[in-house]
């Protein structure tokens, strides 16, 4: 291998290592501020409280406090119900983290198939995706973002081959969180 090739590899290794270290710092700060087990899946707990209120015939949006209020479309409670059905806390954490990991892997594979990067670029991208600080924090707190993101990725990568299913995926994403509606312009345009 040439000297320039080793130089590029070293640059990538330094970048990925620095990136992972910075991400670990972000995650460490959050975990220090909100240590397990009390704070793990914190946001999901707020979603479940809204689900419990709605399931009991009450108002899912009764809590209006910033930070604890349920601010998602009502149909996203169907997603919440999936994990709310798991009663044992450790099983719920395992199921949520497992589902999040599967969603991330599916997303990476779809994006690889769609964008066709080199194998080396894909392999470098795996730790970058796995240790992306905001993603890890979002998963730790039990947020809905990764599942909405997976639906957006499916919508984008299937728009030409299967426009109907692309629309379904975008609808699912918007049903989980309203932000993905912005991607409608990308797909339609």
């Amino acid at each position: 291998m040439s000297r320039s090739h080793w130089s590029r590899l070293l640059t990538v290794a330094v970048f990925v290592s620095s990136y992972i270290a910075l991400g670990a710092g972000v995650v460490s700060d959050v975990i220090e501020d909100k240590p397990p087990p009390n704070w793990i899946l914190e946001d999901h707990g707020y979603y479940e409280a809204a689900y419990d209120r709605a399931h009991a015939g009450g108002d899912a949006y009764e809590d209006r406090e910033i930070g604890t209020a349920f601010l998602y479309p009502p149909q996203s409670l169907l997603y919440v119900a999936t994990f709310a059905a798991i009663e044992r806390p450790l099983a719920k954490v395992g199921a949520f983290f497992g589902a999040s990991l599967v969603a991330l892997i599916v997303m990476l594979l779809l994006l690889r198939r769609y964008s066709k990067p080199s194998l080396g670029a894909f392999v470098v991208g795996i730790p970058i995706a796995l240790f992306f600080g905001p993603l890890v924090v979002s998963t730790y707190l039990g947020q809905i973002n990764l599942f909405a993101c997976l639906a957006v990725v499916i919508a984008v990568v299937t728009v030409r081959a299967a426009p109907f299913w692309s629309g379904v995926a975008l609808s699912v994403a918007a049903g989980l969180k309203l932000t993905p509606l912005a991607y409608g312009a990308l797909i339609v345009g």
Side-chain angles (χ1 to χ4, degrees):
M1 288 191 198
S2 70
R3 187 176 194 108
S4 67
H5 182 75
W6 283 109
S7 176
R8 282 194 311 267
L9 282 177
L10 180 61
T11 301
V12 168
V14 167
F15 169 77
V16 171
S17 299
S18 300
Y19 181 89
I20 290 171
L22 289 170
V26 168
V27 171
S28 175
D29 288 347
V30 169
I31 290 175
E32 185 178 310
D33 187 42
K34 297 179 177 224
N38 296 341
W39 295 100
I40 199 163
L41 300 185
E42 173 191 14
D43 289 359
H44 197 274
Y46 302 141
Y47 307 159
E48 275 195 42
Y51 170 77
D52 291 342
R53 286 191 300 272
H55 194 254
D59 181 4
Y61 300 97
E62 177 181 302
D63 181 351
R64 301 198 191 296
E65 290 294 317
I66 299 297
T68 60
F70 181 71
L71 304 173
Y72 297 96
Q75 58 273 25
S76 64
L77 290 173
L78 296 172
Y79 149 84
V80 174
T82 304
F83 295 103
I86 303 170
E87 292 182 19
R88 302 178 94 195
L90 190 57
K92 185 178 300 201
V93 168
F96 186 84
F97 284 7
S100 297
L101 183 61
V102 167
L104 181 61
I105 290 168
V106 169
M107 224 180 330
L108 289 172
L109 293 173
L110 286 171
L111 289 170
R112 178 164 194 253
R113 185 172 174 208
Y114 181 74
S115 63
K116 298 178 178 48
S118 69
L119 180 60
F122 181 70
V123 168
V124 167
I126 291 172
I128 289 173
L130 286 173
F131 295 103
F132 180 53
L135 173 73
V136 175
V137 169
S138 176
T139 303
Y140 174 78
L141 295 175
Q143 295 178 351
I144 206 166
N145 303 333
L146 188 59
F147 301 101
C149 188
L150 173 60
V152 168
V153 167
I154 292 169
V156 170
V157 302
T158 61
V159 69
R160 286 194 179 96
F164 173 81
W165 292 111
S166 177
V168 168
L170 184 61
S171 297
V172 167
L176 291 174
K177 193 168 184 159
L178 292 176
T179 314
L181 284 177
Y183 294 100
L186 172 70
I187 291 173
V188 172

